[in-house]
């Protein structure tokens, strides 16, 4: 703590100490982005005064150019996780306790130093929908499928200090964070005094920035990086560049927060945002509710950013009041934010690295797709884009009702567009009008509503809209990620049959945040992102080749064509229904009911301090990478075979799938051989505690092309010593047995998408020593470093398709771990089988000294284990 920069705050909340940002900024506070002000406050509370002062100077120095290479520490006050990221982390913790005990340490002392809250939201599937018992059925099936994993989570909640679990049915992590966990301003005890501090966090999900909509600074990190923070390994970052997005005006008739989010995503991706912080400013910000802001903040990873930050204002307080927060807490938030300079000023123009401007009044309904969230489409463009993608099916025979451009799934899903109650109210009003006109979705469309909050049912029912949604097939099927994360359940039989017999290529329309090929469903490669009311409109039509704003959506009971204009609610209608829907008590009541679930309460769990591994388990296996790291220093250079050579936009979904495990896959056959039911193999996301399953799933996405052997099946590569084509994991095993090193080569934006630690863990288990790519997405880069894998950025002229690397070509990497520094230049030589050699200077994407230390240690887990062993002896 830098002592001169402290002050006192008094109010109904008592007397509190706080950091005096105005004094610390030396007159420059108004020039600082609000997110940097939060970082400055965090830095000034560092226990080492020299570190705190260096961080202060780094943040003030950033104002000169909007860029800096200086490092600052960040100490979040809490960690947010979900069941499919906490699961692997808990497996690591259980295995670390074993390793610690086996080395003579005390396993009971291995507990998080930073509190962890985890949701149970990523595993529920839409097994059934559009029927009254859908919610009960899907929750029961979720518990049946995942009982072993959930018992494991209960074990952790009972034995690992500082670990809290929200059980199934309590909603999506980011909505829970918005409605329940966020304090915006927290009170901490320090040296006998009460201190007011900003609420801060990191989360093991790329959409953690949703909480930025309330003025809470937090961003997504990989599960591996979260484990480091959890056990006291400091989080360090370069002073972030900040892109300012100026908003003017207000949203006009017909435009919703989803449309704004998709426009922002398109604009910032065109700008080339890749890991920077984004902050919204300008007078238009004040016109957006906190719910509307949450949609923009949530999609930060889609526009390439670490954050999508909004400062605190009256809209923040209104949301907190509507969700049942205490008035004394609201008084503290307002007084504190105004006292230290965290309160939003609409006319303020802080210093940003770059800025863009958006006039809210110009926005209209919009979509994105069919394969990337930043490929925005006007409704009139959709028919031309979609027609060639669905063409080629055999003609429909007599009695065939499914068209070749069928919408197979229409899902109102995801925290992105269901946390803002206004979007659900708009969808409900559209459903009401469609119902009155006699419209219903065709029989081939699988419809569902899976909101983020268990309070949704109460609020929609109070507004009189739940019954209208249910009548159109959009009854609540689950409280969880469901379709958005790739758990839509089975396609309707009529669609599956048409795909099998006629080769149709159905389409998904969803209110989610991502639409990568195969993400929603492994058999569906085209998906459109849309607002909740537009999802219903597409469901009513059932056709993908559609201009939703002009073409008829169906024929009403009076025989007339019905178009979107006949159904779309006006802004006054939405506001009136929204006001009728809200009761601040809903959140507490609904969550209490959800947490009292007998299915969860009656689930038994072990009570031992070390987890009792079951040798027959197909869900939980002690992973081989939990160890104390390499026993000797790696060689200063190595020569490696490329295991895979890939193109651009390889996502973490491509690397490590989350969706259903196919029976005929290597992972499926492995499970069946160990007694798993072929009809219920569950999804990869649920098996992340079993390294043997996850290893067999890496790089098996059907859209991946391995440029070493383009004609090979997905998930295969060439084992050079014999020339065989083998599954990637088998080839990797053979290379390891032969004592041969391997690397991966890829194009632009490698590792985009989810903060999926298994994308890095799987790569580690393949024995890959380095990933060489033209660019990396931020979280995956961090996860690679956390697993001891060196990320190397290739120069622009070393594009994989230009290099044309062939089997037998090898890469020589000169990277001595002992002499590595952040952003080091690394010499790479490509040695061809012909004898020719090409060389380049790659950049080691190690951002901080901590990154360097992790590579030298062999990753996060060895570093944690060594520290824990020293502390327990």
């Amino acid at each position: 703590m830098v002592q001169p920069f402290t002050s006192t705050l008094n109010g109904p909340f008592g007397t509190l100490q706080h950091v005096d940002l105005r004094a610390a900024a030396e007159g420059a506070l108004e020039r600082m982005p609000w997110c940097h002000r939060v970082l400055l406050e965090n830095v000034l509370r560092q226990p080492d005064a020299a570190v705190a002062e260096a961080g202060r100077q780094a943040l003030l120095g950033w104002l000169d150019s909007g860029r800096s290479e200086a490092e600052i520490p960040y100490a979040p006050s809490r960690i947010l996780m979900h069941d499919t990221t906490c699961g692997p982390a808990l497996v690591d913790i259980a295995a670390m306790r074993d390793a610690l005990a086996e080395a003579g340490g005390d396993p009971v002392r291995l507990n998080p130093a930073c509190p962890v809250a985890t949701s149970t939201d990523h595993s529920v599937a839409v097994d059934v929908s559009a029927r009254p018992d859908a919610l009960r059925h899907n929750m029961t099936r979720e518990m049946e499928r995942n009982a072993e994993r959930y018992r494991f989570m209960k074990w952790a909640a009972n034995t690992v200090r500082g670990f809290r679990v929200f059980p199934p049915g309590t909603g999506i992590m980011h909505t829970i964070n918005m409605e329940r966990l966020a304090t915006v301003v927290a009170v901490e005890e320090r040296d006998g005094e009460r201190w007011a501090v900003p609420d801060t966090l990191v989360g093991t999900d790329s959409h953690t920035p949703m909480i930025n909509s309330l003025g809470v600074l937090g961003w997504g990190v990989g599960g591996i990086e979260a484990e480091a923070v959890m056990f006291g390994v400091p989080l360090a970052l370069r002073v972030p560049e900040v892109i300012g997005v100026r908003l003017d005006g207000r949203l006009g008739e017909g435009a919703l927060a989803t449309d704004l989010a998709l426009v922002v995503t398109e604009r910032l991706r065109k700008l080339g945002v890749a890991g920077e912080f984004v902050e919204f400013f300008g007078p238009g910000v004040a016109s957006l509710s906190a719910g509307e802001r949450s949609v923009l903040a949530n999609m930060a990873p889609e526009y390439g950013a670490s954050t999508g930050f909004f400062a605190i204002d009256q809209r923040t307080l209104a949301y907190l009041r509507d969700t049942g927060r205490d008035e004394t807490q609201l008084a503290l938030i307002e007084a504190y934010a105004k006292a230290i300079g965290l309160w939003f000023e609409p006319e303020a123009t802080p210093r940003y690295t770059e800025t863009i401007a958006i006039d809210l009044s110009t926005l209209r309904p919009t979509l994105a797709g069919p394969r990337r969230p930043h490929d925005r489409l006007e409704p009139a463009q959709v028919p031309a884009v979609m027609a060639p993608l669905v063409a080629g099916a055999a003609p429909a025979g007599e009695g065939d009702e499914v068209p070749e451009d069928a919408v197979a799934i229409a899902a109102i899903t995801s925290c992105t567009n269901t946390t803002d109650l206004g979007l659900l109210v708009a969808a409900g009003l559209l459903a009401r009008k469609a119902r009155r006109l006699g419209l219903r979705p065709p029989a081939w469309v699988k419809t569902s509503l899976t909101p983020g909050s268990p309070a949704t049912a109460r609020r929609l029912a109070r507004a009189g809209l739940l019954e209208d949604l249910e009548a159109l097939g959009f009854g609540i099927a689950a409280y969880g990620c469901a379709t958005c994360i790739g758990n839509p359940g089975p396609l309707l039989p009529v669609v599956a049959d048409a795909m099998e017999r006629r080769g149709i290529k159905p389409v998904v329309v969803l209110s989610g945040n991502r639409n990568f090929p195969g993400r929603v469903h492994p058999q569906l490669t085209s998906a459109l992102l849309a607002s909740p009311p537009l999802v219903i409109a597409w469901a009513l039509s059932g056709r993908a080749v559609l201009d939703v704003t002009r073409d008829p959506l169906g024929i009403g009971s009076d025989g007339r064509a019905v178009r979107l204009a006949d159904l779309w609610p006006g802004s006054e209608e939405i506001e009136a229904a929204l006001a009728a829907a809200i009761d601040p008590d809903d959140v507490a009541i609904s969550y209490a009911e959800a947490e009292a679930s007998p299915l969860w309460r009656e689930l038994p769990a072990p009570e031992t301090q070390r987890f009792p591994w079951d040798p027959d388990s197909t869900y939980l296996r002690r992973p081989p990478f939990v160890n104390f790291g390499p026993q000797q220093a790696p060689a200063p250079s190595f020569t490696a075979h490329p295991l895979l050579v890939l193109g651009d936009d390889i996502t973490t979904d491509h690397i490590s799938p989350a969706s259903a495990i196919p029976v005929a896959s290597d992972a499926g056959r492995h499970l069946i051989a160990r007694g798993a039911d072929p009809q219920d193999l569950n999804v990869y996301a649920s098996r992340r505690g079993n390294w043997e399953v996850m290893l067999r799933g890496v790089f098996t996405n059907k859209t991946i092309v391995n440029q070493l052997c383009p004609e090979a099946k997905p998930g295969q590569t060439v084992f050079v010593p014999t020339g065989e084509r083998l599954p990637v994991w088998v080839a990797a095993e053979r290379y390891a047995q032969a004592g041969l090193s391997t690397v991966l080569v890829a194009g632009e934006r490698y590792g985009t998408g989810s903060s999926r630690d298994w994308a890095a863990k799987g790569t580690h288990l393949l024995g890959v020593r380095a990933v060489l790519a033209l660019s990396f997405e931020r979280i995956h880069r961090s996860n690679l470093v956390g697993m001891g894998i060196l990320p190397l950025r290739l120069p622009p002229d070393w594009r994989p398709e230009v290099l044309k690397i062939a089997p037998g070509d090898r890469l020589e990497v000169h990277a001595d771990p002992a002499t590595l520094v952040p952003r080091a230049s690394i010499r790479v030589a490509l040695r061809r089988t012909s004898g020719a050699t090409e060389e380049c200077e790659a950049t080691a994407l190690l951002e901080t000294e901590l990154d360097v230390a992790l590579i030298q240690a062999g990753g996060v887990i060895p570093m944690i284990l060594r520290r824990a062993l020293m502390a327990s002896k």
Side-chain angles (χ1 to χ4, degrees):
M1 169 72 72
V2 180
Q3 290 299 330
F5 307 126
T6 60
S7 189
T8 302
L9 187 67
N10 294 291
F13 38 78
T15 299
L16 298 169
Q17 303 297 310
H18 66 85
V19 171
D20 187 343
L21 284 187
R22 298 185 190 280
E26 298 176 354
L29 192 66
E30 282 67 31
R31 294 182 58 217
M32 296 183 76
W34 283 280
C35 57
H36 271 202
R37 300 180 200 185
V38 179
L39 289 175
L40 176 60
E41 193 281 341
N42 195 275
V43 160
L44 289 172
R45 285 188 287 115
Q46 286 291 311
D48 186 321
V51 171
E53 177 59 19
R56 184 179 80 92
Q57 293 297 335
L59 283 159
L60 293 177
W62 179 91
L63 292 169
D64 293 337
S65 65
R67 291 178 168 83
S68 175
E69 295 297 318
E71 287 183 32
I72 58 171
Y74 174 63
S77 56
R78 56 191 178 93
I79 299 170
L80 187 66
M81 306 185 86
H82 58 72
D83 54 303
T84 61
T85 52
C86 93
L90 289 177
V91 167
D92 293 349
I93 290 171
M96 281 193 282
R97 282 191 165 191
D98 288 343
L100 195 59
E102 291 159 2
D106 181 1
V108 178
R109 297 187 65 174
L110 192 74
N111 294 290
C114 186
V116 181
T118 186
S119 61
T120 312
D121 57 10
H122 270 54
S123 299
V124 66
V126 186
D127 291 297
V128 300
S129 62
R131 66 187 219 194
D133 68 337
L135 177 61
R136 179 185 58 78
H137 178 95
N138 293 333
M139 283 192 65
T140 301
R141 291 292 293 123
E142 177 190 9
M143 290 298 293
E144 290 171 352
R145 287 193 184 105
N146 300 290
E148 185 179 353
R149 292 172 51 235
Y150 292 171
R151 279 194 294 270
F152 182 50
M153 291 171 65
K154 284 192 78 170
W155 166 79
N158 294 335
T159 61
V160 178
R161 291 196 307 274
F163 187 83
R164 179 184 183 185
V165 174
F166 290 92
T170 52
I172 301 175
M173 62 187 296
H174 306 303
T175 310
I176 294 171
N177 201 15
M178 293 274 292
E179 293 187 344
R180 297 195 67 190
L181 296 178
T183 60
V184 184
V185 176
V187 176
E188 297 181 353
E189 293 283 343
R190 181 175 301 152
D191 298 328
E193 293 184 312
R194 298 169 70 237
W195 282 75
V197 301
D199 182 12
T200 55
L201 73 150
V202 291
T204 56
D205 186 275
S206 55
H207 295 102
T208 298
M210 187 174 198
I211 201 63
N212 295 172
S213 59
L214 297 181
V216 176
L217 185 61
W219 58 86
V221 298
I224 302 158
E225 193 171 5
E227 286 181 42
V229 176
M230 200 182 298
F231 290 101
V233 177
L235 185 64
L237 65 155
R238 284 190 305 130
V239 177
E241 298 176 8
V242 185
I243 309 300
V245 178
R246 180 184 173 90
L247 302 179
D248 292 291
R250 60 189 309 118
L251 293 172
E253 287 293 331
L256 299 171
T258 311
D259 307 310
L260 174 57
L262 295 178
V263 168
V264 169
T265 300
E266 177 192 43
R267 290 282 303 277
L268 291 178
R269 278 294 184 181
K270 285 182 177 177
L271 189 65
V273 171
E276 295 91 339
F277 281 21
V278 163
E279 182 170 281
F280 296 90
F281 73 108
V285 168
S287 73
L288 298 175
S289 69
E292 290 171 320
R293 296 173 188 180
S294 75
V295 184
L296 275 73
N298 180 286
M299 289 195 70
E302 280 67 53
Y303 45 78
S306 297
T307 70
F309 194 76
F310 291 86
I312 301 164
D313 66 0
Q314 289 295 344
R315 294 280 195 162
T316 314
L317 301 182
Y319 177 86
L320 295 171
R321 187 170 287 112
D322 285 346
T323 49
R325 274 25 178 247
D326 180 78
E327 286 296 330
T328 302
Q329 178 66 19
L330 301 188
L332 168 60
I333 293 166
E334 182 170 4
Y336 176 76
K338 288 179 175 177
I340 74 166
L342 297 182
W343 190 261
F344 179 69
E345 298 292 343
E347 302 306 320
T349 54
R351 204 264 191 255
Y352 293 110
T353 308
E354 292 184 73
T355 61
I356 65 169
I358 295 174
D359 182 350
L360 300 179
S361 67
T362 64
L363 302 187
R364 299 291 180 269
T366 192
L367 304 105
R371 294 182 175 172
R372 298 188 304 185
H374 57 277
D375 292 334
R376 192 178 67 84
L377 295 170
E378 299 288 344
Q381 296 175 297
V382 172
V385 170
M386 299 305 300
L389 296 177
V390 300
E398 186 175 346
D400 280 336
E401 61 175 346
V402 183
E404 75 171 358
D405 66 334
V407 172
I409 296 172
I412 300 177
T413 181
S414 175
C415 56
T416 306
N417 287 296
T418 68
T419 302
D420 177 17
L421 185 61
L423 290 173
L424 294 181
V425 163
L429 290 169
L430 188 144
R432 172 183 290 172
K433 295 182 181 183
R435 182 187 181 194
R436 288 174 177 171
L437 291 173
L439 297 187
R440 276 193 59 83
W444 62 80
V445 183
K446 183 173 184 177
T447 53
S448 63
L449 167 59
T450 54
S453 170
T456 301
R458 261 189 176 76
R459 292 182 157 185
L460 289 176
R462 185 177 295 110
L465 299 173
L466 187 59
E467 187 178 325
D468 295 307
L469 288 161
E470 291 170 341
L472 267 60
F474 287 93
I476 294 174
Y479 294 110
C481 304
T483 302
C484 183
I485 193 59
N487 297 337
L491 299 175
L492 294 179
V494 67
V495 171
D497 177 67
M499 293 177 71
E500 177 70 23
R501 288 188 301 104
R502 294 167 44 212
I504 70 166
K505 303 167 188 172
V507 173
V508 181
V509 181
L510 74 158
S511 65
N513 44 53
R514 289 181 180 142
N515 52 355
F516 307 133
R519 174 181 169 87
V520 171
H521 191 286
Q523 292 178 275
L524 306 181
T525 58
S526 297
L528 295 172
L529 302 182
S531 66
L534 283 186
V535 170
I536 295 180
W538 243 281
L540 293 171
S541 168
R543 309 286 296 262
V545 181
L546 174 80
D547 178 347
V548 72
T549 58
R550 297 182 181 180
D551 295 337
L553 302 180
I555 303 299
S557 53
D558 61 0
R560 290 189 296 180
V562 178
R563 290 176 166 80
L564 188 65
D566 301 316
L567 306 177
W568 197 263
S571 58
E572 289 186 3
E573 287 180 87
I574 295 171
E575 287 299 323
L578 188 58
I582 293 174
D583 182 328
D585 293 334
D586 286 338
V587 171
I589 294 170
S590 300
Y591 277 99
E593 290 176 352
E595 289 194 48
S597 161
L599 291 173
W600 177 261
R601 188 176 60 248
E602 295 164 9
L603 190 69
E607 296 181 0
T608 55
Q609 292 296 324
R610 289 176 63 182
F611 182 72
W613 304 98
D614 178 356
D616 296 323
S617 173
T618 59
Y619 279 97
L620 302 169
R621 311 287 290 171
R622 183 173 170 178
F625 50 72
V626 176
N627 54 55
F628 283 84
Q631 300 304 305
Q632 57 186 31
S637 65
F638 62 91
T639 299
H641 289 276
L643 186 62
L644 291 162
V645 178
L646 307 168
D648 294 342
D649 296 305
I650 297 298
T651 71
T652 52
D653 283 273
H654 288 112
I655 303 168
S656 181
S659 54
I661 300 172
V663 171
S665 66
D666 283 358
R669 285 191 289 267
H670 174 82
L671 286 168
I672 293 166
R674 281 150 184 80
D677 180 359
Q679 302 304 312
D680 198 9
L681 296 180
N682 215 328
V683 293
Y684 280 104
S686 72
R687 302 277 184 179
R688 288 179 182 158
N690 185 335
W691 66 271
E692 294 163 324
V693 172
M694 299 308 295
L695 174 61
R696 286 162 172 79
V698 292
F699 295 104
T700 55
N701 185 287
K702 70 177 184 178
T703 64
I704 282 182
V705 176
N706 179 8
Q707 295 178 22
L708 282 177
C709 45
E711 65 285 353
K713 295 178 182 178
Q716 289 194 337
T717 194
V718 176
F719 179 59
V720 169
T722 64
E724 296 171 271
R725 286 185 190 166
L726 299 171
V728 173
W729 68 275
V730 175
E733 192 175 74
R734 298 270 290 272
Y735 278 121
Q737 290 168 352
L740 299 172
S741 297
T742 59
V743 294
L744 288 180
V745 179
E748 296 278 7
R749 296 172 295 278
Y750 183 75
T752 190
S754 300
S755 63
R756 192 160 298 170
D757 60 348
W758 259 104
K761 287 178 175 176
T763 304
H764 174 90
L765 287 174
L766 291 175
V768 170
R769 296 188 61 174
V771 177
L772 297 84
L774 291 168
S775 64
F776 292 80
E777 203 75 356
R778 176 185 61 88
I779 295 178
H780 185 60
R781 180 213 68 84
S782 173
N783 275 338
L784 289 173
V785 172
M787 289 306 297
I789 300 167
L790 184 63
L792 295 175
R793 186 178 62 202
L794 295 169
D797 56 340
W798 269 51
R799 295 193 62 82
E801 64 269 25
V802 174
L803 292 177
K804 298 188 184 304
I805 297 173
D809 293 347
R810 293 183 298 165
L811 286 154
E812 189 176 280
V813 179
H814 296 266
D816 184 354
T819 59
L820 277 176
V821 295
R823 298 292 181 112
S825 181
I826 304 295
R827 185 163 61 88
V828 175
L830 174 58
R831 304 206 180 279
R832 307 277 190 182
T833 54
S834 65
T837 298
E838 300 165 45
E839 293 192 358
C840 77
E841 291 294 320
T843 302
L845 287 189
L846 307 176
E847 300 292 341
T848 65
E849 292 293 344
L850 176 59
D851 283 351
V852 173
L854 288 170
I855 292 293
Q856 293 168 339
V860 163
I861 290 172
M863 181 178 284
I864 292 171
L865 280 172
R866 292 171 194 170
R867 290 184 174 198
L869 184 61
M870 290 179 64
S872 67
K873 284 190 170 180

